[in-house]
Amino acid sequence: MSTGSGAPSAPAPTAPTTPASHRSSMFGSLKVRNYRLFFAGQVVSNIGTWMQRIAQDWLVLSLTGSATAVGVTTALQFLPMLLFGLYGGVLVDRLNKRRALLVTQSAMALTGVALALLTLSGHVHVWHVYLAAFFVGLATVVDNPARQSFVSEMVGPDQLQNAVSLNSANFQSARLVGPAVAGLMITGVGTGWAFLFNGLSFVAPIVGLLMMRGRDLHAVRRAPRGKGQLREGLRYVAGRPDLMWTIILVGFIGTFGFNFPVYLSAFADDVFHAGAGSYSLFNTLMAVGSLAGALLAARRGTAKLRVMLAAAVAFGGLELVAATAPSLWLFSLLMVPIGMFGMTVNVTANTTVQMGTDPAMRGRVMALYMMVFMGGSPIGAPIAGWITDSYGVRAGLAVGGAIAAAAAVVIGLVLARVGNLRLSVGWHRGHPRVRFVPREQREQLAPAA
């Protein structure tokens, strides 16, 4: 049962680690049958999701000619998470997560099919796309925290980091296929067929959930119905600086750095005048980097905050460089490291939060995490669209990168202060090394120097 007082449990270490004895191979969690079914279903569904994302952005741009309209579509899809995300987490902690996922996945399937029928019949208007994006966002309020926290029930604590990383690799692998197929489909037969594929793709995860063995799931006590559970979750995070500042960093990067539907469509159309094919190319190359980042995270035995912070600085810095890229091919190549560092931030933050959270609180904490990461889009996407329309897409991307890098530096300094750490600059085996060390260690070394 959740504690009624709302007092946080004993804090986890600032940088959660996985003991060496529990380290697994890159694909260790796939040995679990239930997770294999989940993983396979998500492969198909994620391809459809990426196809719909590309088709949706391109359809809105074609109907309106406005990057701001693309930003509004993105904002509407993530607005429900911003408004109701925490309540979704409270529900997830009370519900059977497998049954909740069956409902949310079915709802998103129906939305995809409805948008496909409107588009294929020639009756689609931009407000239809807005409405479909909002309905998908409503389903996501429960679907996201349920999927995030259900992973631990399928694989258990020893394989949790590996499974989280493989989920990201799964999503990014689909990102390699989905945009490429969507680009071919949009130019060949139209956006409606991409929407239809997405609607039908949800059959795979639904079948996988139905085939799972309930007896093989790791039992997690559900939170009973009661007052104050939302406040209890917020107090829990507020009492854990490692969780709170990780979520704040993710919020800055998600709000200002990850507005790629706005940036990439505008670069393809307005800067390089290259059409839907180049837009798909940008997304595909970013997915290559994201996949590499996710697989590297799957091999690591620890989730280190310093890795997350360094990756966030690199991510923001590379966006600044990409904003000034003079040619299509240079801009395209920069998508690979941007994707890699962006995914490193995402996976490391996700793993840090999940592994450091009490299982009874995980739904609420992950709902807060996803609300901050995805819910920032209703704020960031219209701002990015307005800057893009007013000052050009290069300015929009540069502002987003600068804010992401600055947030990482500031939060790194805050975490160092909270953890009583100081910056250490020195040499190790003939190479310069910059790291944070305990303040006492630095002070003890000073007299000797």
Side-chain angles (χ1 to χ4, degrees):
M1 293 177 59
S2 299
T3 58
S5 64
S9 58
T14 300
T17 60
T18 302
S21 59
H22 291 165
R23 292 184 183 180
S24 62
S25 66
M26 183 180 290
F27 303 101
S29 54
L30 290 177
K31 296 176 182 177
V32 181
R33 179 182 181 273
N34 283 345
Y35 182 68
R36 282 200 307 274
L37 290 169
F38 177 84
F39 187 90
Q42 290 299 308
V43 167
V44 179
S45 179
N46 285 336
I47 290 173
T49 296
W50 276 110
M51 290 177 66
Q52 173 141 335
R53 284 191 181 186
I54 301 300
Q56 176 180 280
D57 296 339
W58 200 257
L59 176 61
V60 170
L61 195 63
S62 300
L63 291 172
T64 67
S66 170
T68 301
V70 178
V72 169
T73 308
T74 303
L76 286 170
Q77 186 160 334
F78 297 121
L79 181 62
M81 181 64 71
L82 180 64
L83 297 177
F84 312 116
L86 290 176
Y87 295 98
V90 172
L91 284 175
V92 166
D93 278 337
R94 295 176 183 172
L95 297 174
N96 180 301
K97 297 176 183 61
R98 183 180 170 194
R99 293 174 186 169
L101 287 170
L102 285 169
V103 173
T104 58
Q105 298 281 293
S106 299
M108 288 189 281
L110 292 174
T111 303
V113 171
L115 189 55
L117 293 176
L118 284 168
T119 307
L120 291 172
S121 64
H123 293 98
V124 70
H125 298 286
V126 69
W127 69 267
H128 291 138
V129 186
Y130 288 164
L131 195 62
F134 186 75
F135 279 135
V136 169
L138 284 176
T140 302
V141 167
V142 174
D143 186 80
N144 253 317
R147 273 191 297 110
Q148 298 282 339
S149 53
F150 189 49
V151 173
S152 64
E153 294 188 25
M154 288 185 285
V155 303
D158 291 349
Q159 294 284 1
L160 179 58
Q161 175 167 341
N162 182 261
V164 169
S165 301
L166 288 183
N167 279 350
S168 299
N170 184 328
F171 191 66
Q172 299 307 323
S173 298
R175 191 176 180 181
L176 289 171
V177 178
V181 176
L184 293 173
M185 197 169 283
I186 290 169
T187 55
V189 294
T191 55
W193 293 101
F195 297 140
L196 183 61
F197 182 95
N198 177 56
L200 297 178
S201 72
F202 285 98
V203 172
I206 290 172
V207 170
L209 288 165
L210 292 172
M211 291 177 62
M212 287 184 183
R213 295 172 183 160
R215 65 179 181 274
D216 292 342
L217 295 173
H218 294 255
V220 174
R221 52 191 171 89
R222 296 186 217 162
R225 295 180 63 88
K227 294 182 179 180
Q229 290 178 325
L230 180 57
R231 292 191 300 272
E232 181 185 7
L234 293 174
R235 283 195 297 266
Y236 178 84
V237 173
R240 294 283 305 280
D242 56 320
L243 301 182
M244 181 178 68
W245 288 106
T246 296
I247 291 172
I248 289 173
L249 175 61
V250 163
F252 271 101
I253 291 180
T255 300
F256 298 104
F258 271 86
N259 292 301
F260 294 112
V262 177
Y263 299 141
L264 300 187
S265 59
F267 264 99
D269 194 45
D270 300 334
V271 177
F272 299 121
H273 310 289
S278 290
Y279 180 46
S280 296
L281 174 66
F282 297 157
N283 281 278
T284 300
L285 290 173
M286 185 175 291
V288 170
S290 298
L291 178 59
L295 291 176
L296 288 172
R299 294 193 63 178
R300 284 196 297 268
T302 57
K304 297 179 179 179
L305 290 176
R306 67 173 180 265
V307 172
M308 178 186 70
L309 293 167
V313 172
F315 171 79
L318 285 167
E319 284 197 335
L320 283 167
V321 175
T324 64
S327 68
L328 183 148
W329 292 111
L330 179 57
F331 182 85
S332 300
L333 290 175
L334 285 168
M335 293 300 101
V336 177
I338 286 175
M340 184 179 72
F341 286 114
M343 183 51 55
T344 300
V345 174
N346 192 9
V347 171
T348 308
N350 189 309
T351 306
T352 297
V353 172
Q354 285 214 52
M355 294 182 72
T357 301
D358 183 334
M361 304 290 295
R362 193 168 282 146
R364 278 164 282 183
V365 174
M366 291 311 298
L368 177 62
Y369 175 92
M370 296 307 298
M371 184 194 77
V372 169
F373 180 61
M374 300 175 64
S377 292
I379 301 171
I383 293 174
W386 175 77
I387 294 174
T388 296
D389 284 341
S390 301
Y391 303 101
V393 66
R394 293 187 184 277
L397 183 58
V399 169
I403 292 176
V409 171
V410 172
I411 289 172
L413 294 174
V414 170
L415 284 172
R417 185 176 182 83
V418 169
N420 198 32
L421 302 175
R422 297 189 66 176
L423 187 66
S424 172
V425 180
W427 291 84
H428 179 70
R429 296 180 180 177
H431 299 284
R433 180 168 66 174
V434 179
R435 58 177 180 154
F436 286 107
V437 298
R439 190 181 299 272
E440 291 79 6
Q441 178 180 339
R442 178 68 178 268
E443 290 171 351
Q444 289 170 4
L445 291 175

PDB file of all heavy atoms in Angstrom, residues 349-381:
ATOM      1  N   ALA A 349      18.010   9.179 -18.603  1.00  0.00           N
ATOM      2  CA  ALA A 349      17.057   9.809 -17.694  1.00  0.00           C
ATOM      3  C   ALA A 349      15.926   8.851 -17.348  1.00  0.00           C
ATOM      4  O   ALA A 349      15.542   8.719 -16.171  1.00  0.00           O
ATOM      5  CB  ALA A 349      16.500  11.080 -18.325  1.00  0.00           C
ATOM      6  N   ASN A 350      15.379   8.167 -18.344  1.00  0.00           N
ATOM      7  CA  ASN A 350      14.290   7.229 -18.114  1.00  0.00           C
ATOM      8  C   ASN A 350      14.716   6.125 -17.154  1.00  0.00           C
ATOM      9  O   ASN A 350      13.998   5.784 -16.199  1.00  0.00           O
ATOM     10  CB  ASN A 350      13.846   6.639 -19.455  1.00  0.00           C
ATOM     11  CG  ASN A 350      12.576   5.825 -19.357  1.00  0.00           C
ATOM     12  OD1 ASN A 350      12.446   4.937 -18.514  1.00  0.00           O
ATOM     13  ND2 ASN A 350      11.625   6.100 -20.233  1.00  0.00           N
ATOM     14  N   THR A 351      15.889   5.552 -17.386  1.00  0.00           N
ATOM     15  CA  THR A 351      16.383   4.471 -16.534  1.00  0.00           C
ATOM     16  C   THR A 351      16.655   4.965 -15.122  1.00  0.00           C
ATOM     17  O   THR A 351      16.339   4.288 -14.138  1.00  0.00           O
ATOM     18  CB  THR A 351      17.667   3.872 -17.139  1.00  0.00           C
ATOM     19  OG1 THR A 351      17.408   3.479 -18.489  1.00  0.00           O
ATOM     20  CG2 THR A 351      18.115   2.648 -16.352  1.00  0.00           C
ATOM     21  N   THR A 352      17.260   6.139 -14.997  1.00  0.00           N
ATOM     22  CA  THR A 352      17.550   6.712 -13.686  1.00  0.00           C
ATOM     23  C   THR A 352      16.274   6.876 -12.877  1.00  0.00           C
ATOM     24  O   THR A 352      16.213   6.520 -11.691  1.00  0.00           O
ATOM     25  CB  THR A 352      18.246   8.080 -13.840  1.00  0.00           C
ATOM     26  OG1 THR A 352      19.504   7.896 -14.502  1.00  0.00           O
ATOM     27  CG2 THR A 352      18.485   8.735 -12.495  1.00  0.00           C
ATOM     28  N   VAL A 353      15.228   7.395 -13.515  1.00  0.00           N
ATOM     29  CA  VAL A 353      13.977   7.635 -12.809  1.00  0.00           C
ATOM     30  C   VAL A 353      13.288   6.318 -12.450  1.00  0.00           C
ATOM     31  O   VAL A 353      12.830   6.130 -11.320  1.00  0.00           O
ATOM     32  CB  VAL A 353      13.055   8.532 -13.661  1.00  0.00           C
ATOM     33  CG1 VAL A 353      11.669   8.632 -13.036  1.00  0.00           C
ATOM     34  CG2 VAL A 353      13.664   9.917 -13.802  1.00  0.00           C
ATOM     35  N   GLN A 354      13.213   5.370 -13.405  1.00  0.00           N
ATOM     36  CA  GLN A 354      12.530   4.112 -13.115  1.00  0.00           C
ATOM     37  C   GLN A 354      13.241   3.302 -12.034  1.00  0.00           C
ATOM     38  O   GLN A 354      12.607   2.773 -11.116  1.00  0.00           O
ATOM     39  CB  GLN A 354      12.420   3.263 -14.391  1.00  0.00           C
ATOM     40  CG  GLN A 354      11.378   3.760 -15.364  1.00  0.00           C
ATOM     41  CD  GLN A 354      10.707   2.622 -16.111  1.00  0.00           C
ATOM     42  OE1 GLN A 354      10.215   1.677 -15.509  1.00  0.00           O
ATOM     43  NE2 GLN A 354      10.701   2.702 -17.427  1.00  0.00           N
ATOM     44  N   MET A 355      14.562   3.195 -12.137  1.00  0.00           N
ATOM     45  CA  MET A 355      15.296   2.353 -11.186  1.00  0.00           C
ATOM     46  C   MET A 355      15.390   2.999  -9.809  1.00  0.00           C
ATOM     47  O   MET A 355      15.591   2.302  -8.814  1.00  0.00           O
ATOM     48  CB  MET A 355      16.694   2.057 -11.734  1.00  0.00           C
ATOM     49  CG  MET A 355      16.684   1.212 -12.987  1.00  0.00           C
ATOM     50  SD  MET A 355      18.354   0.813 -13.581  1.00  0.00           S
ATOM     51  CE  MET A 355      18.878  -0.361 -12.343  1.00  0.00           C
ATOM     52  N   GLY A 356      15.238   4.312  -9.742  1.00  0.00           N
ATOM     53  CA  GLY A 356      15.335   4.983  -8.461  1.00  0.00           C
ATOM     54  C   GLY A 356      14.003   5.202  -7.775  1.00  0.00           C
ATOM     55  O   GLY A 356      13.954   5.850  -6.734  1.00  0.00           O
ATOM     56  N   THR A 357      12.900   4.676  -8.334  1.00  0.00           N
ATOM     57  CA  THR A 357      11.564   4.946  -7.811  1.00  0.00           C
ATOM     58  C   THR A 357      10.965   3.708  -7.160  1.00  0.00           C
ATOM     59  O   THR A 357      11.082   2.596  -7.679  1.00  0.00           O
ATOM     60  CB  THR A 357      10.638   5.418  -8.956  1.00  0.00           C
ATOM     61  OG1 THR A 357      11.178   6.605  -9.545  1.00  0.00           O
ATOM     62  CG2 THR A 357       9.250   5.726  -8.450  1.00  0.00           C
ATOM     63  N   ASP A 358      10.293   3.892  -6.046  1.00  0.00           N
ATOM     64  CA  ASP A 358       9.532   2.837  -5.385  1.00  0.00           C
ATOM     65  C   ASP A 358       8.492   2.300  -6.364  1.00  0.00           C
ATOM     66  O   ASP A 358       7.751   3.081  -6.970  1.00  0.00           O
ATOM     67  CB  ASP A 358       8.852   3.432  -4.151  1.00  0.00           C
ATOM     68  CG  ASP A 358       8.087   2.398  -3.332  1.00  0.00           C
ATOM     69  OD1 ASP A 358       7.665   1.376  -3.897  1.00  0.00           O
ATOM     70  OD2 ASP A 358       7.908   2.630  -2.119  1.00  0.00           O
ATOM     71  N   PRO A 359       8.390   0.961  -6.558  1.00  0.00           N
ATOM     72  CA  PRO A 359       7.427   0.419  -7.522  1.00  0.00           C
ATOM     73  C   PRO A 359       5.993   0.891  -7.299  1.00  0.00           C
ATOM     74  O   PRO A 359       5.247   1.069  -8.261  1.00  0.00           O
ATOM     75  CB  PRO A 359       7.550  -1.099  -7.318  1.00  0.00           C
ATOM     76  CG  PRO A 359       8.945  -1.291  -6.833  1.00  0.00           C
ATOM     77  CD  PRO A 359       9.248  -0.096  -5.988  1.00  0.00           C
ATOM     78  N   ALA A 360       5.609   1.115  -6.050  1.00  0.00           N
ATOM     79  CA  ALA A 360       4.244   1.561  -5.782  1.00  0.00           C
ATOM     80  C   ALA A 360       4.002   2.987  -6.244  1.00  0.00           C
ATOM     81  O   ALA A 360       2.853   3.412  -6.401  1.00  0.00           O
ATOM     82  CB  ALA A 360       3.944   1.450  -4.283  1.00  0.00           C
ATOM     83  N   MET A 361       5.071   3.735  -6.473  1.00  0.00           N
ATOM     84  CA  MET A 361       4.962   5.126  -6.916  1.00  0.00           C
ATOM     85  C   MET A 361       5.305   5.277  -8.400  1.00  0.00           C
ATOM     86  O   MET A 361       5.228   6.376  -8.945  1.00  0.00           O
ATOM     87  CB  MET A 361       5.930   6.013  -6.108  1.00  0.00           C
ATOM     88  CG  MET A 361       5.749   5.958  -4.620  1.00  0.00           C
ATOM     89  SD  MET A 361       4.222   6.753  -4.088  1.00  0.00           S
ATOM     90  CE  MET A 361       4.555   8.446  -4.565  1.00  0.00           C
ATOM     91  N   ARG A 362       5.679   4.188  -9.061  1.00  0.00           N
ATOM     92  CA  ARG A 362       6.275   4.292 -10.393  1.00  0.00           C
ATOM     93  C   ARG A 362       5.317   4.874 -11.421  1.00  0.00           C
ATOM     94  O   ARG A 362       5.726   5.640 -12.296  1.00  0.00           O
ATOM     95  CB  ARG A 362       6.793   2.926 -10.838  1.00  0.00           C
ATOM     96  CG  ARG A 362       7.698   2.982 -12.047  1.00  0.00           C
ATOM     97  CD  ARG A 362       8.410   1.660 -12.253  1.00  0.00           C
ATOM     98  NE  ARG A 362       9.522   1.503 -11.335  1.00  0.00           N
ATOM     99  CZ  ARG A 362       9.907   0.334 -10.817  1.00  0.00           C
ATOM    100  NH1 ARG A 362       9.240  -0.763 -11.105  1.00  0.00           N
ATOM    101  NH2 ARG A 362      10.932   0.272  -9.994  1.00  0.00           N
ATOM    102  N   GLY A 363       4.042   4.526 -11.365  1.00  0.00           N
ATOM    103  CA  GLY A 363       3.094   5.066 -12.325  1.00  0.00           C
ATOM    104  C   GLY A 363       3.013   6.579 -12.243  1.00  0.00           C
ATOM    105  O   GLY A 363       3.036   7.275 -13.256  1.00  0.00           O
ATOM    106  N   ARG A 364       2.929   7.104 -11.005  1.00  0.00           N
ATOM    107  CA  ARG A 364       2.833   8.552 -10.832  1.00  0.00           C
ATOM    108  C   ARG A 364       4.133   9.256 -11.223  1.00  0.00           C
ATOM    109  O   ARG A 364       4.106  10.308 -11.868  1.00  0.00           O
ATOM    110  CB  ARG A 364       2.479   8.864  -9.374  1.00  0.00           C
ATOM    111  CG  ARG A 364       0.995   8.750  -9.068  1.00  0.00           C
ATOM    112  CD  ARG A 364       0.714   8.672  -7.580  1.00  0.00           C
ATOM    113  NE  ARG A 364       0.985   7.330  -7.074  1.00  0.00           N
ATOM    114  CZ  ARG A 364       0.771   6.961  -5.817  1.00  0.00           C
ATOM    115  NH1 ARG A 364       0.314   7.840  -4.941  1.00  0.00           N
ATOM    116  NH2 ARG A 364       1.019   5.717  -5.431  1.00  0.00           N
ATOM    117  N   VAL A 365       5.263   8.675 -10.841  1.00  0.00           N
ATOM    118  CA  VAL A 365       6.536   9.316 -11.167  1.00  0.00           C
ATOM    119  C   VAL A 365       6.779   9.292 -12.669  1.00  0.00           C
ATOM    120  O   VAL A 365       7.211  10.288 -13.257  1.00  0.00           O
ATOM    121  CB  VAL A 365       7.695   8.643 -10.405  1.00  0.00           C
ATOM    122  CG1 VAL A 365       9.039   9.211 -10.847  1.00  0.00           C
ATOM    123  CG2 VAL A 365       7.529   8.841  -8.895  1.00  0.00           C
ATOM    124  N   MET A 366       6.489   8.161 -13.324  1.00  0.00           N
ATOM    125  CA  MET A 366       6.694   8.089 -14.770  1.00  0.00           C
ATOM    126  C   MET A 366       5.681   8.966 -15.516  1.00  0.00           C
ATOM    127  O   MET A 366       5.978   9.492 -16.585  1.00  0.00           O
ATOM    128  CB  MET A 366       6.596   6.640 -15.263  1.00  0.00           C
ATOM    129  CG  MET A 366       7.753   5.764 -14.800  1.00  0.00           C
ATOM    130  SD  MET A 366       9.391   6.498 -15.080  1.00  0.00           S
ATOM    131  CE  MET A 366       9.417   6.652 -16.866  1.00  0.00           C
ATOM    132  N   ALA A 367       4.481   9.131 -14.934  1.00  0.00           N
ATOM    133  CA  ALA A 367       3.526  10.054 -15.547  1.00  0.00           C
ATOM    134  C   ALA A 367       4.061  11.482 -15.486  1.00  0.00           C
ATOM    135  O   ALA A 367       3.932  12.249 -16.447  1.00  0.00           O
ATOM    136  CB  ALA A 367       2.175   9.966 -14.838  1.00  0.00           C
ATOM    137  N   LEU A 368       4.663  11.844 -14.347  1.00  0.00           N
ATOM    138  CA  LEU A 368       5.270  13.171 -14.236  1.00  0.00           C
ATOM    139  C   LEU A 368       6.416  13.316 -15.225  1.00  0.00           C
ATOM    140  O   LEU A 368       6.550  14.349 -15.898  1.00  0.00           O
ATOM    141  CB  LEU A 368       5.765  13.389 -12.805  1.00  0.00           C
ATOM    142  CG  LEU A 368       6.501  14.710 -12.540  1.00  0.00           C
ATOM    143  CD1 LEU A 368       5.574  15.891 -12.798  1.00  0.00           C
ATOM    144  CD2 LEU A 368       7.038  14.753 -11.115  1.00  0.00           C
ATOM    145  N   TYR A 369       7.230  12.274 -15.328  1.00  0.00           N
ATOM    146  CA  TYR A 369       8.355  12.294 -16.279  1.00  0.00           C
ATOM    147  C   TYR A 369       7.847  12.509 -17.705  1.00  0.00           C
ATOM    148  O   TYR A 369       8.331  13.382 -18.432  1.00  0.00           O
ATOM    149  CB  TYR A 369       9.117  10.974 -16.174  1.00  0.00           C
ATOM    150  CG  TYR A 369      10.220  10.799 -17.181  1.00  0.00           C
ATOM    151  CD1 TYR A 369      11.524  11.175 -16.887  1.00  0.00           C
ATOM    152  CD2 TYR A 369       9.979  10.237 -18.439  1.00  0.00           C
ATOM    153  CE1 TYR A 369      12.546  11.019 -17.808  1.00  0.00           C
ATOM    154  CE2 TYR A 369      10.986  10.075 -19.368  1.00  0.00           C
ATOM    155  CZ  TYR A 369      12.274  10.457 -19.041  1.00  0.00           C
ATOM    156  OH  TYR A 369      13.282  10.301 -19.958  1.00  0.00           O
ATOM    157  N   MET A 370       6.851  11.715 -18.120  1.00  0.00           N
ATOM    158  CA  MET A 370       6.347  11.824 -19.484  1.00  0.00           C
ATOM    159  C   MET A 370       5.558  13.117 -19.687  1.00  0.00           C
ATOM    160  O   MET A 370       5.570  13.696 -20.769  1.00  0.00           O
ATOM    161  CB  MET A 370       5.457  10.619 -19.819  1.00  0.00           C
ATOM    162  CG  MET A 370       6.190   9.280 -19.807  1.00  0.00           C
ATOM    163  SD  MET A 370       7.679   9.250 -20.836  1.00  0.00           S
ATOM    164  CE  MET A 370       6.995   9.553 -22.463  1.00  0.00           C
ATOM    165  N   MET A 371       4.876  13.589 -18.624  1.00  0.00           N
ATOM    166  CA  MET A 371       4.150  14.848 -18.737  1.00  0.00           C
ATOM    167  C   MET A 371       5.114  15.999 -18.996  1.00  0.00           C
ATOM    168  O   MET A 371       4.863  16.866 -19.839  1.00  0.00           O
ATOM    169  CB  MET A 371       3.362  15.117 -17.464  1.00  0.00           C
ATOM    170  CG  MET A 371       2.497  16.369 -17.525  1.00  0.00           C
ATOM    171  SD  MET A 371       1.888  16.909 -15.922  1.00  0.00           S
ATOM    172  CE  MET A 371       3.366  17.678 -15.258  1.00  0.00           C
ATOM    173  N   VAL A 372       6.235  15.988 -18.294  1.00  0.00           N
ATOM    174  CA  VAL A 372       7.212  17.057 -18.456  1.00  0.00           C
ATOM    175  C   VAL A 372       7.904  16.948 -19.815  1.00  0.00           C
ATOM    176  O   VAL A 372       8.100  17.943 -20.515  1.00  0.00           O
ATOM    177  CB  VAL A 372       8.241  17.015 -17.304  1.00  0.00           C
ATOM    178  CG1 VAL A 372       9.416  17.942 -17.582  1.00  0.00           C
ATOM    179  CG2 VAL A 372       7.575  17.403 -15.997  1.00  0.00           C
ATOM    180  N   PHE A 373       8.274  15.697 -20.210  1.00  0.00           N
ATOM    181  CA  PHE A 373       8.992  15.505 -21.466  1.00  0.00           C
ATOM    182  C   PHE A 373       8.099  15.773 -22.678  1.00  0.00           C
ATOM    183  O   PHE A 373       8.458  16.523 -23.590  1.00  0.00           O
ATOM    184  CB  PHE A 373       9.554  14.087 -21.529  1.00  0.00           C
ATOM    185  CG  PHE A 373      10.320  13.795 -22.794  1.00  0.00           C
ATOM    186  CD1 PHE A 373      11.449  14.515 -23.109  1.00  0.00           C
ATOM    187  CD2 PHE A 373       9.911  12.793 -23.659  1.00  0.00           C
ATOM    188  CE1 PHE A 373      12.170  14.254 -24.281  1.00  0.00           C
ATOM    189  CE2 PHE A 373      10.613  12.521 -24.825  1.00  0.00           C
ATOM    190  CZ  PHE A 373      11.747  13.251 -25.125  1.00  0.00           C
ATOM    191  N   MET A 374       6.915  15.149 -22.682  1.00  0.00           N
ATOM    192  CA  MET A 374       6.030  15.279 -23.837  1.00  0.00           C
ATOM    193  C   MET A 374       5.086  16.467 -23.690  1.00  0.00           C
ATOM    194  O   MET A 374       4.710  17.096 -24.672  1.00  0.00           O
ATOM    195  CB  MET A 374       5.212  13.999 -24.013  1.00  0.00           C
ATOM    196  CG  MET A 374       6.058  12.759 -24.239  1.00  0.00           C
ATOM    197  SD  MET A 374       5.073  11.253 -24.309  1.00  0.00           S
ATOM    198  CE  MET A 374       4.104  11.572 -25.768  1.00  0.00           C
ATOM    199  N   GLY A 375       4.693  16.771 -22.453  1.00  0.00           N
ATOM    200  CA  GLY A 375       3.756  17.861 -22.226  1.00  0.00           C
ATOM    201  C   GLY A 375       4.357  19.219 -22.478  1.00  0.00           C
ATOM    202  O   GLY A 375       3.628  20.214 -22.588  1.00  0.00           O
ATOM    203  N   GLY A 376       5.692  19.307 -22.559  1.00  0.00           N
ATOM    204  CA  GLY A 376       6.310  20.580 -22.885  1.00  0.00           C
ATOM    205  C   GLY A 376       6.075  20.998 -24.323  1.00  0.00           C
ATOM    206  O   GLY A 376       6.205  22.184 -24.664  1.00  0.00           O
ATOM    207  N   SER A 377       5.704  20.042 -25.180  1.00  0.00           N
ATOM    208  CA  SER A 377       5.485  20.355 -26.595  1.00  0.00           C
ATOM    209  C   SER A 377       4.374  21.368 -26.835  1.00  0.00           C
ATOM    210  O   SER A 377       4.491  22.190 -27.752  1.00  0.00           O
ATOM    211  CB  SER A 377       5.211  19.067 -27.382  1.00  0.00           C
ATOM    212  OG  SER A 377       6.376  18.263 -27.422  1.00  0.00           O
ATOM    213  N   PRO A 378       3.252  21.342 -26.072  1.00  0.00           N
ATOM    214  CA  PRO A 378       2.246  22.386 -26.284  1.00  0.00           C
ATOM    215  C   PRO A 378       2.784  23.791 -26.050  1.00  0.00           C
ATOM    216  O   PRO A 378       2.225  24.765 -26.565  1.00  0.00           O
ATOM    217  CB  PRO A 378       1.159  22.045 -25.250  1.00  0.00           C
ATOM    218  CG  PRO A 378       1.291  20.586 -25.049  1.00  0.00           C
ATOM    219  CD  PRO A 378       2.767  20.314 -25.147  1.00  0.00           C
ATOM    220  N   ILE A 379       3.854  23.910 -25.258  1.00  0.00           N
ATOM    221  CA  ILE A 379       4.490  25.209 -25.043  1.00  0.00           C
ATOM    222  C   ILE A 379       5.576  25.440 -26.096  1.00  0.00           C
ATOM    223  O   ILE A 379       5.625  26.481 -26.753  1.00  0.00           O
ATOM    224  CB  ILE A 379       5.096  25.295 -23.630  1.00  0.00           C
ATOM    225  CG1 ILE A 379       4.005  25.098 -22.576  1.00  0.00           C
ATOM    226  CG2 ILE A 379       5.821  26.616 -23.424  1.00  0.00           C
ATOM    227  CD1 ILE A 379       4.542  24.942 -21.173  1.00  0.00           C
ATOM    228  N   GLY A 380       6.449  24.446 -26.258  1.00  0.00           N
ATOM    229  CA  GLY A 380       7.612  24.616 -27.121  1.00  0.00           C
ATOM    230  C   GLY A 380       7.297  24.612 -28.601  1.00  0.00           C
ATOM    231  O   GLY A 380       7.886  25.397 -29.368  1.00  0.00           O
ATOM    232  N   ALA A 381       6.380  23.744 -29.050  1.00  0.00           N
ATOM    233  CA  ALA A 381       6.116  23.627 -30.485  1.00  0.00           C
ATOM    234  C   ALA A 381       5.543  24.913 -31.090  1.00  0.00           C
ATOM    235  O   ALA A 381       6.022  25.364 -32.139  1.00  0.00           O
ATOM    236  CB  ALA A 381       5.196  22.432 -30.756  1.00  0.00           C
TER     237      ALA A 381
END
